[in-house]
Amino acid sequence: MAKQSSPVVSLQAPKDVSLSEIDGELGKIWQSYSATGDDGSFPVATRAATFSLIVYEPEETQHLLADLGFYTGPIDGITGPRMEAALRTAQETYGLPVTGKATSEILQRLQEELTRKRTSAASDESSPISPSYARDARGAGVADAIASQNPCRIIALFPVSGEDEGVTAQVSAYCPVQKQSRSTLICCEYITLRGTETALDRASSLVSSLLISDLPKFLWWKATPEPNQALFRQLAGFSTCVIVDSSTFLEAETGLLKVQSLVEQGTHVADLNWRRLAPWQELTAEAFDPPERRAALTEVDRVTIDYEQGNPTQALMFLGWLASRLQWHPVSYEHEGGDYDLRRVRFVAADQRPIEAELAGMPTADYGDVGGDLMALRLTSTNLNADCCTVLCSETSGCMRMESGGGAQSCRIQQVSSLLDQKAENLLSQQLQSWGRDALYEESLAVSAQIAKLQERSA
């Protein structure tokens, strides 16, 4: 069962303010609630001082839901129970499949509805009242995972298209109610900035001034990182850690190369998609823990990885992890494409043995929340006497394809239980408690980037 977040108290709904008024408005909130607990009418509310989180969110669904009255929570770019409830209500209203997910269909319908509403208002026609969801319906009254577990200051940047009309700002404050301490609320404050890329570039110094001094500063860049983009460079420059999710990269190899270039420049980068590989890495290592199989690991020279078609970053990162552990050097990369979007990578081991890997994107009718999740893995050897055949598969996809390719070797077969919740906001909540660099990730990424460079050269 999914873990429920804490109930949330709203101190200040999103309020439009000028850029110069941001700090002043936040100060008024805390001044108003700093002593309200004296008569027992309301708990004392204090602002959190743990870290600052900058969220770069190029996807506009949350803004559209708020503009149309479906969403009443903080405009922070974080998908959570409030956002899912708003999406469900909007999908019901417009007769779309009710999934609670931000699909292209609901995004287009919201854009059309907002355009119609604004046109109606401009012609002085009466506009129908937009529907909204009940606060406590379908879990909408619980805090977003990030706010409930990590109260902090969140600065959300929303780039928009169109004419440069400067930057607009909103402030709000929400407090998770903790059962163990109902007399005092530790609250999360939100600052939302919206404007064109050019306008947000100009506001980067303002963002820097709004960060809580002497505390860690995280940048969650919800797109492919662009090392040459002025706004990205400025935000990354004063951040303790840049957080990405490579499952959203439109071009896997290009995205991995950009992340590697940041690491090489000394930027601390964390990839939420890397965290999703933990169960696969643990079971792969465990398969060769027995002494009688440990030596056989050096016999592995065939690797097959199946993943949900669409985004191969998990498969490439897992292959990079495996190769970095076994000291394989990539020498060629061929992207064949086809029905399974096949990729073939060849390595040379330290003892000059050739190793071949195949990455296959498997079509599936039911794609999960994460693009490109691993589905199955097979490690084998051309030496039929080697006891190294290992097959891992997810609980949902099964092992049929991998088992049928086992040949004459006896294979160790095991199912992989994925993380209980692989959604980005939940992994982000965990990442925000791990501030140090991940040497294993950086070593594996370096090999994945070497593979990506091979494809770049052959293109």
Side-chain angles (χ1 to χ4, degrees):
M1 181 180 293
K3 181 180 178 180
Q4 290 291 312
S5 301
S6 306
V8 68
V9 173
S10 172
L11 296 189
Q12 172 66 63
K15 178 182 179 181
D16 294 330
V17 298
S18 68
L19 299 183
S20 61
E21 295 174 330
I22 293 174
D23 266 330
E25 285 295 328
L26 289 172
K28 289 178 185 177
I29 295 172
W30 307 119
Q31 190 174 22
S32 300
Y33 287 95
S34 62
T36 52
D38 292 347
D39 60 1
S41 60
F42 195 86
V44 174
T46 60
R47 67 205 315 174
T50 50
F51 55 82
S52 298
L53 172 65
I54 308 166
V55 181
Y56 175 86
E57 172 58 275
E59 214 276 317
E60 61 178 332
T61 301
Q62 193 178 56
H63 260 291
L64 292 169
L65 289 168
D67 289 343
L68 291 168
F70 291 105
Y71 176 77
T72 59
I75 308 298
D76 55 9
I78 296 174
T79 301
R82 290 170 176 270
M83 178 80 164
E84 291 176 4
L87 281 165
R88 287 179 177 277
T89 303
Q91 288 164 337
E92 284 180 348
T93 301
Y94 300 133
L96 298 173
V98 180
T99 63
K101 298 178 182 178
T103 62
S104 58
E105 290 79 11
I106 187 62
L107 176 59
Q108 180 179 352
R109 187 58 189 270
L110 291 170
Q111 290 170 333
E112 293 170 351
E113 185 63 20
L114 185 60
T115 299
R116 186 198 62 76
K117 182 179 178 181
R118 287 174 174 168
T119 302
S120 177
S123 60
D124 292 326
E125 297 178 6
S126 59
S127 301
I129 299 175
S130 298
S132 61
Y133 67 97
R135 261 190 86 138
D136 294 323
R138 296 175 183 156
V142 297
D144 293 322
I146 176 63
S148 64
Q149 296 181 41
N150 301 276
C152 59
R153 173 175 286 190
I154 298 179
I155 304 172
L157 307 181
F158 285 81
V160 298
S161 57
E163 296 184 10
D164 184 352
E165 299 179 352
V167 176
T168 60
Q170 287 182 329
V171 296
S172 57
Y174 292 82
C175 312
V177 178
Q178 305 296 341
K179 292 181 180 179
Q180 63 271 26
S181 179
R182 293 180 178 272
S183 60
T184 302
L185 298 176
I186 307 298
C187 306
C188 195
E189 53 190 12
Y190 301 83
I191 302 166
T192 305
L193 303 177
R194 190 177 186 184
T196 62
E197 290 281 1
T198 302
L200 291 174
D201 282 346
R202 296 196 303 270
S204 60
S205 58
L206 170 65
V207 175
S208 178
S209 69
L210 293 172
L211 299 171
I212 303 174
S213 60
D214 302 321
L215 290 174
K217 303 165 182 64
F218 297 91
L219 168 62
W220 186 18
W221 190 264
K222 297 180 69 177
T224 301
E226 297 294 344
N228 295 323
Q229 182 182 350
L231 179 61
F232 177 83
R233 288 202 312 270
Q234 292 164 349
L235 297 179
F238 49 68
S239 297
T240 307
C241 176
V242 175
I243 301 171
V244 299
D245 185 350
S246 61
S247 72
T248 65
F249 290 176
L250 297 179
E251 297 289 339
E253 290 86 356
T254 301
L256 290 172
L257 285 171
K258 289 179 177 179
V259 174
Q260 175 62 15
S261 71
L262 291 172
V263 173
E264 291 174 349
Q265 295 166 19
T267 304
H268 177 194
V269 180
D271 186 350
L272 302 181
N273 211 24
W274 167 258
R275 285 180 166 266
R276 299 184 179 108
L277 292 175
W280 294 87
Q281 294 166 333
E282 290 170 5
L283 284 181
T284 301
E286 181 184 297
F288 294 95
D289 276 346
E292 64 274 14
R293 292 195 100 225
R294 202 164 298 160
L297 181 58
T298 60
E299 297 287 347
V300 172
D301 58 17
R302 294 293 183 271
V303 181
T304 305
I305 300 174
D306 288 354
Y307 62 93
E308 286 188 2
Q309 195 170 95
N311 188 313
T313 50
Q314 273 193 33
L316 287 168
M317 285 195 297
F318 182 89
L319 187 58
W321 167 78
L322 186 65
S324 70
R325 297 306 89 196
L326 298 179
Q327 299 182 335
W328 296 345
H329 177 69
V331 293
S332 70
Y333 183 160
E334 182 180 358
H335 185 184
E336 293 184 6
D339 292 342
Y340 295 102
D341 197 25
L342 290 178
R343 288 167 165 81
R344 300 189 188 280
V345 185
R346 291 178 176 82
F347 299 86
V348 172
D351 60 2
Q352 300 306 304
R353 287 182 308 112
I355 293 99
E356 296 185 3
E358 176 188 278
L359 279 57
M362 308 301 291
T364 176
D366 184 20
Y367 289 93
D369 292 325
V370 179
D373 267 341
L374 290 195
M375 298 174 65
L377 162 73
R378 185 175 69 240
L379 305 177
T380 58
S381 175
T382 52
N383 176 7
L384 298 182
N385 294 319
D387 180 20
C388 66
C389 184
T390 300
V391 173
L392 303 179
C393 56
S394 67
E395 294 177 331
T396 54
S397 64
C399 289
M400 287 183 61
R401 190 174 103 89
M402 294 303 183
E403 290 176 4
S404 64
Q409 292 175 298
S410 175
C411 296
R412 176 183 175 125
I413 300 173
Q414 196 162 355
Q415 286 190 328
V416 179
S417 298
S418 62
L419 300 174
L420 291 178
D421 199 333
Q422 299 195 49
K423 291 184 178 180
E425 62 271 15
N426 290 282
L427 295 176
L428 173 67
S429 182
Q430 300 168 23
Q431 181 62 53
L432 292 173
Q433 300 173 44
S434 303
W435 300 349
R437 301 180 81 103
D438 186 340
L440 181 59
Y441 165 65
E442 294 185 357
E443 291 171 8
S444 303
L445 174 66
V447 179
S448 299
Q450 290 173 11
I451 296 170
K453 284 181 181 177
L454 289 171
Q455 190 219 24
E456 193 176 58
R457 291 171 189 164
S458 62

